[in-house]
Amino acid sequence: MLKYFVLVFTILFVSPSFAVEPDEILDDPVLETRARDISVNVRCVVCQNEPIDTSNAGVARDLRLLIRERLVAGDSNDQVYEFLVARYGDYVLFKPPWRPSTYLLWLAPFLILGGGIIGMVYTLSRKPQKPRDGLSADEQATLDNLIGSNSEKDAS
């Protein structure tokens, strides 16, 4: 029973929506909705894999405020994204644009997957080597020599 109480408490009171502070919220609901839409697509430069909309980091708060300032100043969503990219680079976006500097970023998963498939096909298509049925005459002579020399050392 306690587990369920903790689960419900966690879901209700530890929500990512609480990352946006009340003093950050704009009076205009349309601008606030736009700000939230932009914030979801912007990576927190401290947390790295968390959007600034849900991050409690100070830098994320500063970015949320910056986005709201730009929207109040009359910038479009694209202009806000361009401003953030100019300031922080393509890394700040969860979906970086398709350009020569990000080709490897976009193609790397497919290249790795393709390399893995090629490696699997190569490994599975190789003929297994048949085990040899015995030693050659030279190998047998070397083995007998080694066994003989070890048994002489043990006897002495």
Side-chain angles (χ1 to χ4, degrees):
M1 187 68 173
L2 181 63
K3 288 189 247 182
Y4 297 115
F5 176 75
V6 171
L7 179 66
V8 169
F9 179 81
T10 304
I11 291 171
L12 291 177
F13 295 106
V14 184
S15 174
S17 63
F18 290 127
V20 176
E21 301 291 328
D23 63 333
E24 297 175 28
I25 298 174
L26 296 171
D27 293 332
D28 184 359
V30 173
L31 286 180
E32 181 60 29
T33 302
R34 285 178 54 204
R36 287 290 181 104
D37 290 342
I38 293 171
S39 306
V40 170
N41 296 314
V42 176
R43 180 188 318 267
C44 176
V45 294
V46 174
C47 308
Q48 297 182 1
N49 285 326
E50 188 176 357
I52 62 170
D53 196 49
T54 59
S55 174
N56 288 321
V59 174
R61 175 180 165 78
D62 293 342
L63 284 172
R64 289 191 302 263
L65 291 172
L66 178 68
I67 289 170
R68 284 165 172 77
E69 287 173 12
R70 302 292 297 189
L71 290 175
V72 168
D75 285 1
S76 69
N77 290 11
D78 289 336
Q79 289 172 324
V80 173
Y81 286 126
E82 288 171 12
F83 178 80
L84 293 172
V85 167
R87 199 166 190 186
Y88 297 100
D90 288 327
Y91 175 76
V92 77
L93 302 177
F94 275 114
K95 294 180 183 176
W98 176 259
R99 60 176 79 157
S101 62
T102 60
Y103 287 165
L104 186 60
L105 177 68
W106 281 102
L107 298 175
F110 301 108
L111 295 173
I112 292 170
L113 180 64
I117 290 172
I118 290 170
M120 279 181 34
V121 168
Y122 175 75
T123 302
L124 295 175
S125 67
R126 288 180 34 198
K127 289 183 180 179
Q129 293 182 353
K130 294 180 182 177
R132 294 191 303 181
D133 289 334
L135 300 175
S136 66
D138 290 338
E139 292 170 336
Q140 188 64 46
T142 304
L143 180 62
D144 290 340
N145 188 18
L146 289 172
I147 292 174
S149 65
N150 281 339
S151 61
E152 292 172 7
K153 287 181 185 176
D154 290 338
S156 51

